[in-house]
């Protein structure tokens, strides 16, 4: 049995789910371990407390790992599971270790495992590129707004807001481009050295210029957790600034991103999924050449692992 730990925000959860579906499609017995969200000590150790937003999406189907199943895979590591799964304190485990922890952009060997507990974010497109079409058909955004108390009601009569519906109409009628600018938590002292300074103004100007050259009539729809910053720096380029899907309902920003014809992403898995769920056959997907400052970009490798994406450096160079 393969057990995949689910952790992090919505974009990361969707990547862990995508790997789950890929392994399931290969005929493997797979489970998701969602206990991370119920562990108070773990939640206190992260900068922003998370919840299982994966369940907000309709069309999602998976089997959760029971405690005895996790114990059967981890064996003696069961009692110290949190310690064994700490990606910050442990290096990659040996082949004989029941817990496998991601420590590189792509690990081909995950597809050969039979009994493993997998810990990682699995952001690389190559893991599940061949099933993204199927995931686009299965994954649906909730019809009803997400209530403050929990997950949205399934199959309710109410629909997404009129404002979002109108925006989808505009996006479908124009050469629409989503532009995601993430600042917020990336400006925190703990996150800035890792994620800051990657999606620079040079990056966004180059990405916008790339699409303007290809599509002179391109209309840019901006999404951000720092709307004042967008208004200050990108007001001239913006056809629309999306500023109303807040809190739990920020999930609808991903829906709107996926409704655009093209996508300019931040170094954020949230906007990666906005692009991945975009069904437009001729779409242009742009992402930064690195996700973290610790990453060394090897252009040939990145183009292989992120086939179909346009890569732009923080300095504004298209690879």
């Amino acid at each position: 049995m393969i057990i995949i730990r689910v952790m992090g925000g919505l974009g990361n959860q969707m990547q862990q789910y995508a790997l789950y579906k890929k392994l399931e499609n290969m005929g493997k017995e797979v489970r998701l371990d969602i206990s991370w969200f119920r562990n108070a000590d773990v939640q206190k150790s992260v900068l922003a407390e998370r919840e299982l937003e994966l369940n907000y999406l309709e069309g999602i189907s998976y089997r959760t790992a029971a405690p005895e199943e996790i114990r059967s895979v981890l064996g003696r590591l069961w009692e110290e599971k949190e310690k064994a799964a700490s990606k910050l304190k442990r290096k990659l485990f040996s082949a004989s270790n029941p817990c496998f922890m991601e420590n590189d952009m792509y690990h081909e060997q995950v597809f050969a495992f039979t009994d493993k507990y997998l810990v990682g974010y699995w952001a690389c497109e190559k893991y599940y590129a061949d099933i993204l079409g199927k995931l686009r058909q299965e994954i649906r955004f909730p019809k009803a707004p997400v209530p403050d108390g929990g997950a949205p009601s399934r199959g309710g009569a109410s629909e997404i807001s009129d404002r979002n519906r109108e925006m989808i109409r505009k996006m479908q009628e124009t050469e629409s481009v989503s532009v995601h600018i993430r600042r917020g938590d990336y400006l925190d002292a703990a996150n800035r050295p890792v994620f800051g300074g990657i999606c620079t103004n040079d990056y966004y100007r180059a990405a916008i210029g790339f699409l303007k050259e290809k599509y002179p009539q391109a209309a840019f729809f901006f999404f951000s957790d720092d709307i004042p910053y967008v208004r200050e720096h990108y007001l001239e380029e913006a056809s629309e600034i999306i500023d109303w899907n807040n809190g739990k309902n920020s999930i609808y920003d991903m829906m709107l991103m996926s409704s655009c014809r093209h996508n300019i992403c931040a170094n954020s898995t949230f906007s990666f999924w906005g692009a991945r769920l975009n069904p437009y056959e001729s779409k242009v997907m742009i992402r930064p050449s690195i996700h973290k400052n610790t990453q060394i970009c090897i252009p040939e490798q990145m183009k292989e692992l992120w086939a179909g994406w346009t890569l732009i450096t923080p300095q504004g160079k298209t690879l």
Side-chain angles (χ1 to χ4, degrees):
M1 179 182 295
I2 307 295
I3 299 176
I4 301 172
R5 162 165 272 202
V6 185
M7 57 186 177
L10 176 60
N12 287 320
Q13 294 171 38
M14 292 175 73
Q15 285 163 177
Q16 291 145 3
Y17 174 76
L19 181 61
Y20 168 93
K21 298 301 285 188
K22 168 67 176 181
L23 293 171
E24 185 181 65
N25 282 1
M26 293 175 65
K28 293 182 179 289
E29 189 175 10
V30 199
R31 302 284 189 275
L32 293 183
D33 176 10
I34 61 174
S35 62
W36 189 84
F37 299 94
R38 298 192 296 264
N39 189 308
D41 292 335
V42 168
Q43 292 297 316
K44 288 177 183 177
S45 68
V46 296
L47 285 173
E49 187 172 337
R50 302 291 190 178
E51 57 184 289
L52 189 59
E53 296 174 276
L54 192 63
N55 286 345
Y56 291 175
L57 297 166
E58 298 179 4
I60 293 289
S61 62
Y62 60 87
R63 298 182 67 180
T64 57
E68 58 271 18
E69 291 174 323
I70 301 173
R71 186 182 291 109
S72 70
V73 171
L74 284 177
R76 61 181 177 79
L77 289 177
W78 164 253
E79 296 300 333
E80 53 175 354
K81 182 175 62 165
E82 302 305 333
K83 182 179 178 182
S86 173
K87 69 184 180 70
L88 296 176
K89 296 180 180 179
R90 292 288 188 94
K91 294 183 179 180
L92 189 66
F93 291 97
S94 67
S96 61
N97 196 301
C99 184
F100 181 89
M101 186 166 52
E102 176 188 40
N103 78 335
D104 205 346
M105 194 179 311
Y106 182 71
H107 296 283
E108 181 74 30
Q109 61 266 49
V110 300
F111 300 118
F113 291 149
T114 53
D115 290 290
K116 284 288 183 183
Y117 184 91
L118 304 183
V119 181
Y121 294 106
W122 322 108
C124 183
E125 191 89 346
K126 190 173 180 178
Y127 281 120
Y128 32 75
D130 60 332
I131 66 163
L132 283 174
K134 183 176 181 180
L135 290 175
R136 275 193 290 272
Q137 293 179 343
E138 291 178 354
I139 295 174
R140 301 184 303 277
F141 290 92
K143 295 183 179 69
V146 181
D148 290 337
S153 57
R154 303 293 178 126
S158 61
E159 298 180 352
I160 61 173
S161 73
D162 291 341
R163 202 169 187 185
N164 283 327
R165 277 204 307 250
E166 173 62 17
M167 199 52 53
I168 290 173
R169 183 189 65 78
K170 287 185 178 181
M171 291 168 171
Q172 292 175 341
E173 291 176 353
T174 61
E175 200 66 54
S176 52
V177 181
S178 70
V179 184
H180 184 216
I181 297 179
R182 180 170 174 176
R183 284 169 58 80
D185 59 335
Y186 278 12
L187 301 181
D188 292 339
N191 278 336
R192 191 176 189 117
V194 181
F195 298 106
I198 292 174
C199 290
T200 61
N201 285 335
D202 288 339
Y203 165 76
Y204 285 112
R205 299 294 180 200
I208 290 169
F210 181 91
L211 278 162
K212 278 184 175 179
E213 184 174 351
K214 194 173 180 67
Y215 302 103
Q217 302 304 314
F220 296 91
F221 295 75
F222 279 77
F223 302 80
S224 182
D225 54 3
D226 191 343
I227 296 299
Y229 178 88
V230 172
R231 294 191 190 282
E232 180 181 353
H233 291 86
Y234 297 99
L235 192 59
E236 290 185 5
E237 286 89 353
S239 296
E240 297 282 350
I241 297 175
I242 315 302
D243 62 357
W244 56 84
N245 293 317
N246 301 310
K248 295 180 186 295
N249 286 314
S250 62
I251 192 172
Y252 292 111
D253 273 1
M254 186 186 290
M255 177 191 69
L256 292 178
M257 290 178 191
S258 73
S259 300
C260 289
R261 294 193 175 194
H262 314 287
N263 309 95
I264 297 174
C265 298
N267 54 329
S268 167
T269 58
F270 187 91
S271 50
F272 288 172
W273 277 102
R276 286 165 172 161
L277 295 177
N278 174 359
Y280 188 58
E281 290 186 3
S282 301
K283 65 183 175 183
V284 174
M285 300 180 292
I286 298 177
R287 59 147 293 173
S289 58
I290 57 174
H291 190 83
K292 299 179 181 180
N293 286 309
T294 53
Q295 180 185 343
I296 297 174
C297 176
I298 303 173
E300 295 76 16
Q301 180 191 46
M302 283 295 293
K303 289 177 182 179
E304 177 194 351
L305 298 181
W306 290 81
W309 289 73
T310 297
L311 309 171
I312 297 180
T313 69
Q315 295 75 33
K317 179 183 177 182
T318 302
L319 299 181

